[in-house]
Amino acid sequence: EGKTITESKGYSNKLIFFHHPINKRDRTKSDNKTIDIFIWGTITPYKGIDLFLDQITNNTILKKYSIVIAGKITDEKYKTLIEKKISGNIKLINKFLTDSELEKNLRSSKITLFTYNQDSVLSSGALADSIGFGNIIVGPDVGSFKDLKEMNLIYTFQNRNQIPSLCEKLLSDFRNYQINDALVSKYLRDHSWEKFGQKIMQKIR
């Protein structure tokens, strides 16, 4: 979609597309999945987390799941809004996670959920960092999320009203909905920062 937008402005001859490079992490998988739904990253309005919390309040499906939201809330008004919506099955960790804390939570989660508003995102470094921990990734059907869905690496929703039913479907048979390990491993290898550097140099030459 970024490519389409850029081409529409007349810059198609100056455009090179790369998937977001992936950091090296300890992506060891775990069978000890204590978190049903994990949301992480800086907590800002465009990510739609407050709207997701409203869905939990109004939906009996989501109330039965263990949900962890981890990330720093930088706006005090938004922090107050979020905290008012936290209920018994939801844990809020209002801080920037260290790499080891992030890896532990990703490894412990069944679903890593991105609730972004669809008109506010094209690419996501957090998406790249979330792949390969034995978790299922769910996000909006736009930008890099749409690209990875078409590569059979993640699941997407067309609108946020689909989030509860999609999460219930995936959690009801978690192991069968997990992404193929070989497919994930290949993607991690092909899109490392080292590979990204090599591709850039090839284009420059």
Side-chain angles (χ1 to χ4, degrees):
E1 284 173 299
K3 184 177 178 181
T4 301
I5 292 169
T6 309
E7 287 176 340
S8 72
K9 304 296 183 182
Y11 295 109
S12 58
N13 64 327
K14 299 181 181 180
L15 178 66
I16 304 171
F17 171 77
F18 298 98
H19 290 288
H20 197 296
I22 296 171
N23 289 321
K24 288 184 177 180
R25 291 188 181 276
D26 175 12
R27 295 177 189 260
T28 307
K29 295 197 300 182
S30 171
D31 291 328
N32 186 25
K33 301 288 188 181
T34 57
I35 303 169
D36 289 317
I37 299 173
F38 179 56
I39 299 171
W40 75 277
T42 305
I43 299 175
T44 57
Y46 85 88
K47 294 184 178 179
I49 292 173
D50 59 308
L51 301 177
F52 176 65
L53 291 172
D54 288 338
Q55 284 185 300
I56 297 172
T57 301
N58 299 314
N59 191 293
T60 55
I61 296 173
L62 293 174
K63 286 181 180 178
K64 66 183 181 181
Y65 298 129
S66 167
I67 300 171
V68 174
I69 301 171
K72 185 66 177 176
I73 310 174
T74 56
D75 181 89
E76 283 300 317
K77 287 185 178 179
Y78 196 59
K79 176 176 177 285
T80 300
L81 176 67
I82 292 293
E83 289 177 341
K84 286 181 178 178
K85 297 175 184 287
I86 298 298
S87 59
N89 64 320
I90 307 166
K91 180 180 179 181
L92 174 65
I93 305 172
N94 180 20
K95 68 171 216 174
F96 294 112
L97 297 181
T98 65
D99 283 352
S100 60
E101 288 171 333
L102 175 60
E103 289 165 10
K104 179 180 177 181
N105 280 282
L106 287 169
R107 203 173 287 115
S108 299
S109 65
K110 292 183 179 178
I111 290 176
T112 301
L113 174 64
F114 295 90
T115 59
Y116 297 172
N117 297 322
Q118 289 181 288
D119 58 355
S120 64
V121 64
L122 280 176
S123 184
S124 171
L127 170 59
D129 276 342
S130 297
I131 298 171
F133 291 90
N135 49 348
I136 292 172
I137 298 173
V138 175
D141 194 49
V142 293
S144 53
F145 294 93
K146 186 173 183 178
D147 292 337
L148 265 62
K149 181 204 70 175
E150 291 173 354
M151 298 171 73
N152 297 313
L153 287 165
I154 71 169
Y155 296 89
T156 62
F157 53 86
Q158 297 291 332
N159 62 73
R160 65 175 53 258
N161 292 332
Q162 296 175 338
I163 293 176
S165 58
L166 178 57
C167 286
E168 182 180 39
K169 174 185 174 182
L170 297 173
L171 290 169
S172 68
D173 197 2
F174 169 69
R175 295 194 182 281
N176 282 333
Y177 282 112
Q178 281 185 285
I179 303 301
N180 179 274
D181 283 344
L183 199 62
V184 173
S185 296
K186 183 178 187 305
Y187 185 83
L188 293 173
R189 288 195 306 272
D190 290 349
H191 297 94
S192 66
W193 279 96
E194 182 180 6
K195 291 282 188 180
F196 174 66
Q198 292 171 0
K199 292 172 185 175
I200 286 285
M201 291 309 298
Q202 287 170 4
K203 294 294 183 181
I204 290 172
R205 293 189 185 105

